[in-house]
Amino acid sequence: MNTINDQTPIIFLAMFWGGGGPYTISQIIHVYDWINRDIPSREDLETALNTLLFLNFITMQDDKFTVTRNIGDDFDKYRKKKRKNKFETVSMYFTQYIPLPDVPVIVEVSEETYSTELTKYKESF
């Protein structure tokens, strides 16, 4: 059984807080940096995207990722009820999905793709 890495809830939270998408990888890096003041590693990003896709928290279409409406609505209700800070709330929300079975690799983020998307993000400033 697997656990959810520390960055998966934060990447979900960033996508949720940023409007749900659809986001390209460079845009996910942007909203992650906006909410967490950090940039996820390639490995953390890939693991998070695969976990979120496996859990049906997000969908992927044409290399863009979107928070699914039912999960977005459910998390919105959950966070309003808990009234904790956003990072604590999203961590609490994800505990109901632990432990995970083995998560299949649905999307691969190569070093080249990550580097290209990171450059796109940095050029936006």
Side-chain angles (χ1 to χ4, degrees), residues 88-111:
E88 185 179 354
T89 301
V90 78
S91 291
M92 290 168 42
Y93 185 75
F94 271 77
T95 59
Q96 62 189 318
Y97 297 96
I98 298 171
L100 284 175
D102 289 333
V103 175
V105 176
I106 301 166
V107 62
E108 290 186 38
V109 180
S110 68
E111 285 292 338

Side-chain angles (χ1 to χ4, degrees), residues 31-123:
V31 295
Y32 181 90
D33 188 22
W34 170 67
I35 197 167
N36 200 42
R37 301 292 182 239
D38 194 12
I39 294 174
S41 70
R42 184 202 65 77
E43 294 84 2
D44 285 341
L45 181 63
E46 182 177 279
T47 299
L49 291 175
N50 282 301
T51 302
L52 294 170
L53 286 165
F54 175 75
L55 292 172
N56 294 313
F57 276 38
I58 63 172
T59 59
M60 180 177 76
Q61 184 174 8
D62 300 327
D63 295 328
K64 292 186 179 182
F65 302 88
T66 305
V67 173
T68 58
R69 183 173 192 91
N70 61 328
I71 292 296
D73 291 347
D74 187 56
F75 178 69
D76 195 36
K77 288 176 194 167
Y78 182 87
R79 74 176 182 85
K80 288 176 180 174
K81 189 171 27 172
K82 292 299 177 188
R83 298 187 182 269
K84 305 272 185 199
N85 80 49
K86 59 188 167 218
F87 298 109
E88 185 179 354
T89 301
V90 78
S91 291
M92 290 168 42
Y93 185 75
F94 271 77
T95 59
Q96 62 189 318
Y97 297 96
I98 298 171
L100 284 175
D102 289 333
V103 175
V105 176
I106 301 166
V107 62
E108 290 186 38
V109 180
S110 68
E111 285 292 338
E112 181 181 353
T113 299
Y114 181 76
S115 180
T116 300
E117 295 297 323
L118 189 57
T119 299
K120 283 183 195 175
Y121 164 64
K122 289 178 178 179
E123 287 175 350

